[in-house]
PDB file of all heavy atoms in Angstrom:
ATOM      1  N   ALA A 460      -1.337 100.121 -17.992  1.00  0.00           N
ATOM      2  CA  ALA A 460      -2.619 100.294 -17.313  1.00  0.00           C
ATOM      3  C   ALA A 460      -3.261  98.924 -17.150  1.00  0.00           C
ATOM      4  O   ALA A 460      -2.867  97.958 -17.800  1.00  0.00           O
ATOM      5  CB  ALA A 460      -3.533 101.218 -18.111  1.00  0.00           C
ATOM      6  N   SER A 462      -5.875  97.170 -18.214  1.00  0.00           N
ATOM      7  CA  SER A 462      -6.957  97.000 -19.189  1.00  0.00           C
ATOM      8  C   SER A 462      -6.565  95.898 -20.168  1.00  0.00           C
ATOM      9  O   SER A 462      -5.420  95.457 -20.202  1.00  0.00           O
ATOM     10  CB  SER A 462      -7.201  98.304 -19.962  1.00  0.00           C
ATOM     11  OG  SER A 462      -6.122  98.566 -20.832  1.00  0.00           O
ATOM     12  N   PHE A 463      -7.520  95.468 -20.979  1.00  0.00           N
ATOM     13  CA  PHE A 463      -7.261  94.397 -21.940  1.00  0.00           C
ATOM     14  C   PHE A 463      -6.162  94.790 -22.930  1.00  0.00           C
ATOM     15  O   PHE A 463      -5.254  94.023 -23.190  1.00  0.00           O
ATOM     16  CB  PHE A 463      -8.540  94.028 -22.691  1.00  0.00           C
ATOM     17  CG  PHE A 463      -8.301  92.991 -23.761  1.00  0.00           C
ATOM     18  CD1 PHE A 463      -8.122  91.660 -23.424  1.00  0.00           C
ATOM     19  CD2 PHE A 463      -8.215  93.357 -25.089  1.00  0.00           C
ATOM     20  CE1 PHE A 463      -7.876  90.711 -24.400  1.00  0.00           C
ATOM     21  CE2 PHE A 463      -7.968  92.415 -26.080  1.00  0.00           C
ATOM     22  CZ  PHE A 463      -7.799  91.084 -25.728  1.00  0.00           C
ATOM     23  N   ASN A 464      -6.262  95.989 -23.481  1.00  0.00           N
ATOM     24  CA  ASN A 464      -5.258  96.440 -24.452  1.00  0.00           C
ATOM     25  C   ASN A 464      -3.871  96.511 -23.836  1.00  0.00           C
ATOM     26  O   ASN A 464      -2.882  96.187 -24.481  1.00  0.00           O
ATOM     27  CB  ASN A 464      -5.638  97.797 -25.044  1.00  0.00           C
ATOM     28  CG  ASN A 464      -6.837  97.702 -25.950  1.00  0.00           C
ATOM     29  OD1 ASN A 464      -7.120  96.649 -26.496  1.00  0.00           O
ATOM     30  ND2 ASN A 464      -7.546  98.804 -26.090  1.00  0.00           N
ATOM     31  N   ASP A 465      -3.801  96.940 -22.581  1.00  0.00           N
ATOM     32  CA  ASP A 465      -2.502  97.045 -21.938  1.00  0.00           C
ATOM     33  C   ASP A 465      -1.948  95.686 -21.539  1.00  0.00           C
ATOM     34  O   ASP A 465      -0.739  95.525 -21.420  1.00  0.00           O
ATOM     35  CB  ASP A 465      -2.573  98.002 -20.750  1.00  0.00           C
ATOM     36  CG  ASP A 465      -2.581  99.444 -21.218  1.00  0.00           C
ATOM     37  OD1 ASP A 465      -1.535  99.891 -21.709  1.00  0.00           O
ATOM     38  OD2 ASP A 465      -3.618 100.100 -21.122  1.00  0.00           O
ATOM     39  N   ALA A 466      -2.791  94.695 -21.358  1.00  0.00           N
ATOM     40  CA  ALA A 466      -2.300  93.334 -21.120  1.00  0.00           C
ATOM     41  C   ALA A 466      -1.539  92.847 -22.354  1.00  0.00           C
ATOM     42  O   ALA A 466      -0.471  92.233 -22.241  1.00  0.00           O
ATOM     43  CB  ALA A 466      -3.453  92.395 -20.790  1.00  0.00           C
ATOM     44  N   ALA A 467      -2.057  93.146 -23.533  1.00  0.00           N
ATOM     45  CA  ALA A 467      -1.366  92.795 -24.776  1.00  0.00           C
ATOM     46  C   ALA A 467      -0.066  93.596 -24.907  1.00  0.00           C
ATOM     47  O   ALA A 467       0.945  93.075 -25.359  1.00  0.00           O
ATOM     48  CB  ALA A 467      -2.275  93.047 -25.977  1.00  0.00           C
ATOM     49  N   TYR A 468      -0.093  94.844 -24.495  1.00  0.00           N
ATOM     50  CA  TYR A 468       1.086  95.715 -24.504  1.00  0.00           C
ATOM     51  C   TYR A 468       2.184  95.120 -23.626  1.00  0.00           C
ATOM     52  O   TYR A 468       3.346  95.024 -24.035  1.00  0.00           O
ATOM     53  CB  TYR A 468       0.654  97.103 -23.999  1.00  0.00           C
ATOM     54  CG  TYR A 468       1.737  98.103 -23.728  1.00  0.00           C
ATOM     55  CD1 TYR A 468       2.278  98.869 -24.752  1.00  0.00           C
ATOM     56  CD2 TYR A 468       2.188  98.320 -22.432  1.00  0.00           C
ATOM     57  CE1 TYR A 468       3.246  99.820 -24.493  1.00  0.00           C
ATOM     58  CE2 TYR A 468       3.158  99.263 -22.167  1.00  0.00           C
ATOM     59  CZ  TYR A 468       3.687 100.009 -23.199  1.00  0.00           C
ATOM     60  OH  TYR A 468       4.648 100.949 -22.934  1.00  0.00           O
ATOM     61  N   ARG A 469       1.818  94.697 -22.406  1.00  0.00           N
ATOM     62  CA  ARG A 469       2.793  94.085 -21.509  1.00  0.00           C
ATOM     63  C   ARG A 469       3.319  92.778 -22.088  1.00  0.00           C
ATOM     64  O   ARG A 469       4.510  92.474 -21.994  1.00  0.00           O
ATOM     65  CB  ARG A 469       2.178  93.865 -20.127  1.00  0.00           C
ATOM     66  CG  ARG A 469       1.920  95.165 -19.383  1.00  0.00           C
ATOM     67  CD  ARG A 469       1.507  94.937 -17.953  1.00  0.00           C
ATOM     68  NE  ARG A 469       0.287  94.167 -17.808  1.00  0.00           N
ATOM     69  CZ  ARG A 469      -0.936  94.660 -17.840  1.00  0.00           C
ATOM     70  NH1 ARG A 469      -1.119  95.960 -18.036  1.00  0.00           N
ATOM     71  NH2 ARG A 469      -1.980  93.882 -17.681  1.00  0.00           N
TER      72      ARG A 469
END
Side-chain angles (χ1 to χ4, degrees):
S462 70
F463 176 76
N464 290 335
D465 283 290
Y468 171 83
R469 291 188 300 275

